[in-house]
Amino acid sequence: MEKNTCAFTGHRPKSFPWKYDETAPGCVQLKEALFAQIKILVDRGITDFLSGMAQGVDLWCARAVLALRAKNPNLRLHCILPCQGQEDKWPAAMQEQYRSILQRADEVLCLQEEYSDDCMAKRNRHLVDHAAVLLAVYNGTRRSGTGMTLRYAQRQGREIFILDPISRGMTRIRPASGQ
């Protein structure tokens, strides 16, 4: 676990009421809330951020870190890819955004060459294993990658911030004492 590191997890756009419309008021407000929370973490001493680079929350958080890094060169963005070509079937504009983020990242780590049924779960565990803090956008859906990542982070004793995508309320879960 890296002391000054935060990992991101969150749902794909299809899980939100606005789907893929990033100009929808709810999406804009969620991205603003994410930016504000990342800024709070930076002010608290977090310098390294891990993004799994999935559509939605992961990419929004990566863009926020890059924007903050423009004013604070001490910040580092680490892109943790589950496999080569995770973006291959995405719309062209989304692929372009993805590749632009990768080009500006401080590190790009690809965990395996080929897609496998468990590569996303492996990526999520890697994110948690290498971060002290997890920032999650979570709608409460237990049977989701985000839900599984949150439960894993709790078992690993990570500090967790959960942002509700609709109310934009923040919940903080501190690690159990002794961890």
Side-chain angles (χ1 to χ4, degrees):
M1 171 180 66
E2 308 299 327
K3 185 176 157 223
N4 296 324
T5 301
C6 172
F8 305 120
T9 189
H11 301 292
R12 306 298 180 274
K14 66 180 178 2
S15 298
F16 300 122
W18 53 81
K19 307 293 185 210
Y20 289 84
D21 181 3
E22 288 193 34
T23 64
C27 186
V28 170
Q29 292 165 350
L30 177 58
K31 289 189 288 185
E32 289 170 353
L34 276 169
F35 186 91
Q37 184 60 40
I38 293 168
K39 176 86 172 69
I40 288 168
L41 291 169
V42 168
D43 292 345
R44 213 183 88 176
I46 300 291
T47 56
D48 288 73
F49 294 88
L50 308 178
S51 173
M53 295 298 290
Q55 290 185 52
V57 172
D58 290 2
L59 294 181
W60 301 336
C61 289
R63 289 193 329 230
V65 170
L66 290 172
L68 289 165
R69 190 182 70 186
K71 294 179 181 161
N72 182 347
N74 295 321
L75 301 183
R76 290 183 292 283
L77 175 64
H78 306 268
C79 298
I80 312 301
L81 311 182
C83 61
Q84 288 291 341
Q86 88 165 327
E87 80 287 5
D88 287 349
K89 295 179 181 170
W90 298 0
M94 192 74 66
Q95 287 186 35
E96 189 176 312
Q97 182 185 129
Y98 175 88
R99 292 180 183 128
S100 170
I101 292 168
L102 292 180
Q103 287 174 347
R104 294 179 286 154
D106 296 283
E107 177 189 26
V108 177
L109 175 62
C110 185
L111 298 179
Q112 60 188 58
E113 291 295 314
E114 306 273 326
Y115 174 85
S116 65
D117 289 343
D118 65 346
C119 70
M120 302 298 174
K122 285 179 183 175
R123 184 260 329 268
N124 294 343
R125 286 190 301 273
H126 180 94
L127 292 169
V128 170
D129 290 344
H130 292 85
V133 176
L134 181 69
L135 174 56
V137 175
Y138 183 53
N139 63 12
T141 305
R142 195 162 162 75
R143 293 179 56 93
S144 65
T146 300
M148 289 180 6
T149 303
L150 273 170
R151 289 188 299 281
Y152 180 71
Q154 284 182 286
R155 288 193 306 273
Q156 299 306 308
R158 300 304 186 256
E159 180 177 19
I160 302 168
F161 293 89
I162 302 172
L163 180 60
D164 181 283
I166 305 305
S167 72
R168 289 168 303 285
M170 183 67 68
T171 303
R172 180 180 182 191
I173 301 172
R174 291 190 169 104
S177 60
Q179 290 191 352

